[in-house]
Amino acid sequence: MDLLISIGILFLVIVILSLGWRFASQRRSLPCPVWMKWMLDPPFSWMSGRTKKTLKHLNLSSGMQVLDAGCGPGRLSIPMAKLIGPFGTVTAMDIQEGMLEEVKKKADKDGDGNIMYLQGGIGEGKLEPERYDRIVMITVLGEIPDRKRAMKEIYGALKSGGLLLIEETIRDPHFQRVKAVRELANETGFVEKVWDGSRFNYTILFEKP
């Protein structure tokens, strides 16, 4: 009985904290705190079905240069690094140093030496021009104050023919509607290649001509 009560209290605390973060995020461009990383990277599954589906859309190959923009604790950075092999590089980018430290712990544990770390926000001018074959933004766009500036930097950082993958889910407090993402991407110069999902959980793949 005591165990059930403890579990119930823990669950209630988690719900309250989650709702608090969501409420605060509606008023500010607030990234997920490091202490809530478990919400972005479930500890019970090394690679979820969602992650596998994302990787399939990316069509990664050996030697590619990939940017995980707003990487969080590395749910995608780690498997992408394995897929592109030692001759490719994944740049794990996040505004929070704590998130990058989480990625590095996992990479060191797995022996993935082809991950670079870049602390900063998208749109701050930290990305090299025409460097990447793929750029991934998973529930990140809504956290960026100046989205137009960020998308221009993303566009410039991609090679010609490179792909930008954007994923959004209604579970994220910064959820961006499909129409808003399409308008922003089209205005920047991207061409839509693939759309998959629903109005509330979707993936869009854009190409830089």
Side-chain angles (χ1 to χ4, degrees), residues 38-195:
W38 53 271
M39 293 185 66
L40 306 176
D41 194 8
F44 49 80
S45 176
W46 176 78
M47 191 187 295
S48 65
R50 175 186 168 206
T51 299
K52 291 177 182 177
K53 194 173 184 179
T54 301
L55 294 173
K56 186 176 180 180
H57 281 305
L58 287 169
N59 192 27
L60 298 172
S61 59
S62 177
M64 279 188 171
Q65 299 295 312
V66 183
L67 171 67
D68 191 356
C71 62
R75 179 176 67 86
L76 278 172
S77 300
I78 301 299
M80 288 194 301
K82 296 181 187 303
L83 286 172
I84 63 175
F87 299 107
T89 305
V90 169
T91 300
M93 180 181 188
D94 204 280
I95 199 167
Q96 300 181 88
E97 185 179 356
M99 287 297 192
L100 296 179
E101 289 174 354
E102 289 295 321
V103 182
K104 193 172 189 308
K105 286 179 187 176
K106 296 175 184 176
D108 290 345
K109 182 179 179 180
D110 289 357
D112 297 317
N114 59 339
I115 300 180
M116 296 177 59
Y117 304 92
L118 178 61
Q119 184 179 2
I122 308 161
E124 294 180 356
K126 295 192 174 185
L127 301 180
E128 297 179 36
E130 298 185 0
R131 173 183 173 89
Y132 301 103
D133 300 287
R134 303 284 189 271
I135 295 180
V136 179
M137 297 177 70
I138 309 295
T139 61
V140 170
L141 193 59
E143 297 178 359
I144 303 171
D146 192 339
R147 298 182 185 94
K148 289 186 178 181
R149 183 176 179 181
M151 286 293 279
K152 286 181 180 178
E153 184 175 27
I154 290 290
Y155 187 90
L158 273 172
K159 299 175 184 177
S160 180
L163 300 176
L164 165 65
L165 183 143
I166 294 179
E167 280 189 11
E168 291 289 330
T169 175
I170 194 67
R171 296 189 302 273
D172 184 75
H174 306 100
F175 175 71
Q176 299 294 293
R177 297 183 183 276
V178 178
K179 182 180 178 181
V181 174
R182 281 177 169 154
E183 287 178 352
L184 182 58
N186 291 338
E187 181 182 331
T188 308
F190 284 105
V191 176
E192 184 173 334
K193 304 296 290 183
V194 175
W195 179 88

Side-chain angles (χ1 to χ4, degrees), residues 21-42:
W21 170 54
R22 191 176 186 93
F23 181 79
S25 297
Q26 305 252 333
R27 285 159 170 70
R28 294 180 56 197
S29 296
L30 185 68
C32 181
V34 178
W35 59 269
M36 291 179 68
K37 62 182 183 294
W38 53 271
M39 293 185 66
L40 306 176
D41 194 8

